[in-house]
Amino acid sequence: MDQLTSRNPSTTSPHKILNVGLIGCGDVAQIIHIPTLLHMRAWYRITYLYDVSPSALSHCSARIPYAHQTTRDARELCASENVDIVFVINADEFHAGHAICALEHDKFAFVEKPVALTRRDVLAIGEAERKKCVLFKYPGFTVSYESGIDNVPRFDAHIEVYSASKTVKVQYDTPFIKGLPVTIHIAENADGVYKETTVRKSYEDPYTLEMKELWGLVAEGKPVKTTVQDALQDLDIFTMAMQHYYGSK
């Protein structure tokens, strides 16, 4: 039987398997998180699934090739002794309630971005965070936003930084194809000569790397890189983008 995660980092080992409960069985769970967690069986074990949709719950359950439980009651999942980490990966408007529920049951909470849609909800999670521990889906993952939508059929997730003699672009390819690495594109003026460089630091995809980082946070007590206060800045960016767009109408 897999051991449960101790909250004391000194008692953990590299072979500790963390038990995961998934709140939400939609596209993100089906295409990203379940395949990644199944791929990392030496790190994680999916022990519980929750969704309000019986068909989504049944579909995801059929993909897990070992014993686990399903429920349509999120509190049941959060209260289970067979869950160490609760993945809150359902619709954005339900993130706050389910993250707080996980924290109230002394579970680690891994929350998909955005953490919440209102400052009130983010601050409510922050209050729970001060009493417990919450993990957000940001370590090692840069987020960029656009003020508009174009008609080019591509997954446009990147951040680009400009200087007088160099530009650096970090490109995240579609998360819906497993195994695509992050690439860094550098264009620069090298002593009067135009130079382009493409860097792939790892051929592991961002979600696998992210899950390794998450394991270290929970099992080894490594510090969380981002907090609820950081998440508030997301809402500030959303506000700026909306004001820019609707203010011009």
Side-chain angles (χ1 to χ4, degrees):
M1 179 178 178
D2 296 332
Q3 292 178 292
L4 296 179
T5 301
S6 170
R7 294 297 181 264
N8 182 353
S10 64
T11 64
T12 62
S13 72
H15 305 292
K16 184 75 69 177
I17 297 176
L18 302 178
N19 293 329
V20 177
L22 301 182
I23 291 184
C25 292
D27 290 347
V28 172
Q30 295 172 23
I31 299 173
I32 297 173
H33 290 300
I34 289 177
T36 301
L37 292 170
L38 291 178
H39 174 69
M40 301 180 69
R41 295 188 190 186
W43 307 67
Y44 296 98
R45 183 179 181 88
I46 301 172
T47 56
Y48 238 111
L49 296 175
Y50 158 86
D51 202 279
V52 295
S53 166
S55 59
L57 195 59
S58 175
H59 177 75
C60 287
S61 180
R63 299 182 61 187
I64 301 174
Y66 47 73
H68 59 280
Q69 294 176 272
T70 63
T71 181
R72 295 180 66 188
D73 181 352
R75 285 195 168 274
E76 177 186 325
L77 181 151
C78 292
S80 173
E81 294 183 354
N82 292 323
V83 172
D84 302 318
I85 311 174
V86 176
F87 276 42
V88 182
I89 54 178
N90 54 349
D92 299 343
E93 59 267 29
F94 300 113
H95 283 184
H98 288 143
I100 292 171
C101 180
L103 295 170
E104 288 176 344
H105 286 88
D106 198 30
K107 298 298 192 296
F108 291 92
F110 173 90
V111 187
E112 268 280 5
K113 62 183 186 300
V115 171
L117 297 177
T118 67
R119 294 183 66 87
R120 179 191 63 188
D121 285 347
V122 173
L123 292 173
I125 297 175
E127 180 62 27
E129 181 192 21
R130 281 187 282 274
K131 301 175 182 177
K132 306 292 182 181
C133 177
V134 62
L135 309 176
F136 296 104
K137 187 182 179 298
Y138 293 132
F141 194 97
T142 306
V143 182
S144 60
Y145 300 95
E146 294 181 340
S147 59
I149 299 175
D150 57 35
N151 293 317
V152 181
R154 68 180 185 275
F155 183 80
D156 188 15
H158 69 270
I159 184 170
E160 194 160 3
V161 181
Y162 300 86
S163 72
S165 59
K166 179 186 292 187
T167 64
V168 178
K169 177 180 178 181
V170 182
Q171 178 73 49
Y172 299 91
D173 290 314
T174 172
F176 298 107
I177 299 177
K178 180 67 178 169
L180 292 181
V182 172
T183 56
I184 301 174
H185 304 275
I186 303 170
E188 60 185 316
N189 181 340
D191 297 324
V193 178
Y194 178 72
K195 179 181 178 182
E196 287 187 355
T197 306
T198 299
V199 179
R200 292 182 177 87
K201 184 178 179 180
S202 171
Y203 274 89
E204 288 187 292
D205 64 276
Y207 289 98
T208 299
L209 294 172
E210 182 181 41
M211 290 300 103
K212 289 182 177 181
E213 182 78 10
L214 175 63
W215 188 93
L217 297 176
V218 176
E220 297 180 340
K222 293 182 178 179
V224 179
K225 293 183 179 180
T226 54
T227 67
V228 172
Q229 293 303 314
D230 295 317
L232 282 173
Q233 296 181 30
D234 282 351
L235 298 185
D236 292 337
I237 294 174
F238 293 160
T239 300
M240 292 167 59
M242 293 177 68
Q243 288 176 339
H244 175 78
Y245 180 77
Y246 290 106
S248 63
K249 297 297 184 180

